[in-house]
């Protein structure tokens, strides 16, 4: 009897060791994090902060291999690579994500988000709202992705001209050739405001501005400043947040983490979102001051003038809802409700 019990105990002990070994393996994860931005960029600094925080908070159970500067693939191939299992996660940009999930086009809508240079809190409220970022997160899960964070690296885009006469009224836009990144929303916005929208890739932007192919572009301020774009007339307004940057992960790899590790990822992503917005506020104010000192004309659309600009955008908003359904309507109404609080 004693010998039989010993054998049974041995078998149980052996099985326990196997299970323990499996648990240990499940707890350890190395995630391949790719992005297209240079190591000197705020994007890369945000990635470094996020990955370091997650590794520390999980006691080294979750680690990362970071591949910046499009080392492995261009930005438009990162999401398919996540689905195929080549990489684990990326720091993408709204227009690229919108090619997979069109609801991200909400950040193209003119004047939907009342973001100010020194106060981006409305953006954070929307990202963290169940009817805002929550809808985007659920939509991404249906496509095999996990939304970890929305962590902007720039202020919303507005009108930047090569001429020093900045846009002050909607009439100033009429007849101008304005560079857009592309997409139907950009075309509709041009029709609504009276300018000619011309889709030009980012790599061709500087020659287009320098050679007069376009009179200016819908651009974010930090991008314009950091890249020394040849623009002299700057109009600052929350026109469209096209350059919004989310961190997106493989849903399968996220679900392979322990519940504790998953929570660390999401909590740290939320912290990064708030931290990133504060950095945007500080850097935008400093960059605008520097641009003015370098001779640029900077105009900020006033709170009194903003409603008229917003009203002009209604056909563009309606088209977005018509194309994308109930979720689009709920998100748009949430953005307006948050603005009214």
């Amino acid at each position: 009897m004693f010998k039989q019990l010993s054998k049974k105990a041995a078998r149980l002990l052996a099985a326990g060791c196997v299970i323990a070994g499996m648990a240990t393996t499940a707890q350890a994860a190395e995630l391949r994090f790719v992005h297209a931005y240079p190591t000197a960029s705020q994007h890369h600094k945000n990635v470094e902060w996020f990955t370091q925080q997650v590794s520390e908070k999980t006691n080294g159970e979750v680690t990362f291999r970071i591949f910046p500067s499009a080392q492995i693939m261009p930005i438009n191939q990162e999401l398919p690579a996540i689905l195929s299992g080549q990489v684990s996660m990326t720091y993408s940009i709204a227009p690229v994500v919108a090619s997979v999930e069109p609801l991200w086009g909400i950040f193209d809508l003119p004047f939907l988000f009342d973001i100010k240079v020194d106060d981006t809190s409305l953006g954070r409220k929307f990202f963290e709202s169940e009817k805002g970022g929550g809808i985007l997160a659920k939509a991404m899960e249906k496509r095999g992705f996990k939304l970890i964070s929305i962590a902007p690296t720039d202020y919303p885009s507005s009108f930047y001209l090569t001429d020093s006469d900045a846009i002050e009224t909607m009439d100033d836009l009429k007849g101008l050739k304005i560079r857009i990144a592309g997409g139907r929303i950009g075309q509709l916005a041009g029709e609504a405001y009276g300018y000619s929208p011309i889709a030009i890739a980012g790599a061709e932007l500087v020659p287009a501005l320098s050679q007069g192919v376009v009179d200016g572009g819908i651009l974010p301020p930090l991008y314009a400043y950091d890249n020394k774009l040849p623009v002299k007339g700057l109009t600052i307004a929350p026109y469209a947040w096209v350059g919004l940057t989310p961190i997106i992960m493989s849903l399968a790899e996220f679900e392979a983490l322990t519940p504790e590790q998953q929570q660390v990822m999401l909590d740290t992503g939320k912290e990064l979102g708030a931290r990133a917005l504060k950095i945007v506020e500080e850097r935008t104010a400093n960059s605008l001051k520097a641009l003015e000192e370098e001779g640029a004309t900077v105009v900020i659309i006033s709170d009194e003038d903003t409603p008229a600009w917003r009203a002009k955008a209604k056909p563009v908003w309606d088209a977005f809802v018509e194309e994308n359904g109930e979720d689009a309507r709920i998100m748009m109404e949430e953005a307006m409700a948050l603005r009214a609080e």
Side-chain angles (χ1 to χ4, degrees):
M1 183 70 173
F2 179 77
K3 289 183 178 179
Q4 289 177 339
L5 286 173
S6 296
K7 289 179 180 179
K8 185 177 180 180
R11 288 197 299 270
L12 290 172
L13 180 61
C17 289
V18 171
I19 293 171
M22 291 172 62
T24 301
T25 301
Q27 288 176 349
E30 182 183 70
L31 304 176
R32 293 145 295 162
F33 199 137
V34 298
H35 68 79
Y37 309 100
T39 54
S41 68
Q42 186 60 47
H43 306 77
H44 187 69
K45 293 174 184 176
N46 286 353
V47 170
E48 288 186 315
W49 183 89
F50 173 82
T51 54
Q52 181 180 1
Q53 290 290 312
V54 171
S55 294
E56 289 178 358
K57 291 174 183 177
T58 59
N59 297 315
E61 293 170 356
V62 179
T63 57
F64 301 84
R65 291 181 64 194
I66 303 172
F67 300 92
S69 307
Q71 287 179 13
I72 299 179
M73 63 197 68
I75 193 169
N76 62 346
Q77 294 179 17
E78 291 171 348
L79 295 178
I82 287 176
L83 292 180
S84 67
Q86 291 176 263
V87 298
S88 308
M89 56 199 306
T90 179
Y91 201 0
S92 192
I93 192 167
V96 171
V97 188
S99 68
V100 173
E101 175 45 68
L103 286 174
W104 285 86
I106 193 168
F107 297 109
D108 281 348
L109 300 183
F111 289 95
L112 180 60
F113 297 94
D114 190 15
I115 306 299
K116 296 177 174 55
V117 171
D118 60 350
D119 184 4
T120 59
S121 59
L122 180 63
R124 180 176 53 78
K125 290 177 182 177
F126 182 81
F127 304 157
E128 296 176 0
S129 166
E130 282 301 312
K131 293 181 180 180
I135 287 179
L136 292 174
K138 290 176 182 176
M140 293 302 286
E141 288 190 16
K142 291 178 182 178
R143 299 184 183 277
F145 301 101
K146 185 67 179 181
L147 177 60
I148 300 298
S149 178
I150 300 178
T153 56
D154 212 330
Y155 184 79
S157 300
S158 197
F159 301 104
Y160 289 57
L161 305 182
T162 53
D163 193 283
S164 59
D165 292 332
I167 299 298
E168 297 190 47
T169 69
M170 283 182 275
D171 287 341
D172 294 337
L173 278 170
K174 291 180 179 178
L176 293 180
K177 297 175 291 183
I178 301 294
R179 178 263 181 179
I180 63 170
R184 183 165 181 263
I185 293 298
Q187 294 292 332
L188 290 174
E191 294 173 12
Y193 288 100
Y195 61 85
S196 299
I198 300 176
I200 295 176
E204 302 169 7
L205 177 57
V206 171
L209 291 168
S210 301
Q211 297 168 15
V213 176
V214 289
D215 299 302
I218 297 174
L219 303 164
L222 296 179
Y223 175 79
Y225 178 73
D226 291 344
N227 290 279
K228 306 301 178 187
L229 297 183
V231 289
K232 299 177 182 177
L234 286 63
T235 301
I236 307 303
Y239 184 78
W241 219 342
V242 182
L244 201 77
T245 42
I247 292 178
I248 294 168
M249 182 178 177
S250 160
L251 179 60
E253 291 197 43
F254 178 82
E255 292 180 339
L257 300 174
T258 67
E260 295 78 14
Q261 292 167 351
Q262 292 176 6
Q263 196 59 52
V264 167
M265 293 282 284
L266 295 176
D267 288 347
T268 307
K270 185 176 179 179
E271 290 175 29
L272 175 63
R275 184 176 188 271
L277 284 171
K278 294 304 294 182
I279 293 172
V280 165
E281 289 177 7
E282 294 169 4
R283 293 196 65 223
T284 299
N286 292 336
S287 296
L288 292 177
K289 182 179 179 181
L291 285 166
E292 280 190 298
E293 290 174 350
E294 293 171 9
T297 302
V298 177
V299 171
I300 298 179
I301 299 296
S302 69
D303 291 344
E304 291 75 21
D305 291 337
T306 298
W309 286 82
R310 185 177 297 130
K312 201 77 170 177
K314 192 175 185 304
V316 186
W317 295 8
D318 292 343
F320 176 73
V321 172
E322 183 179 348
E323 290 180 2
N324 295 287
E326 184 66 4
D327 282 344
R329 182 191 65 79
I330 293 171
M331 285 198 299
M332 195 175 72
E333 290 182 353
E334 178 71 353
M336 290 188 287
L338 291 172
R339 185 174 63 234
E341 287 183 354

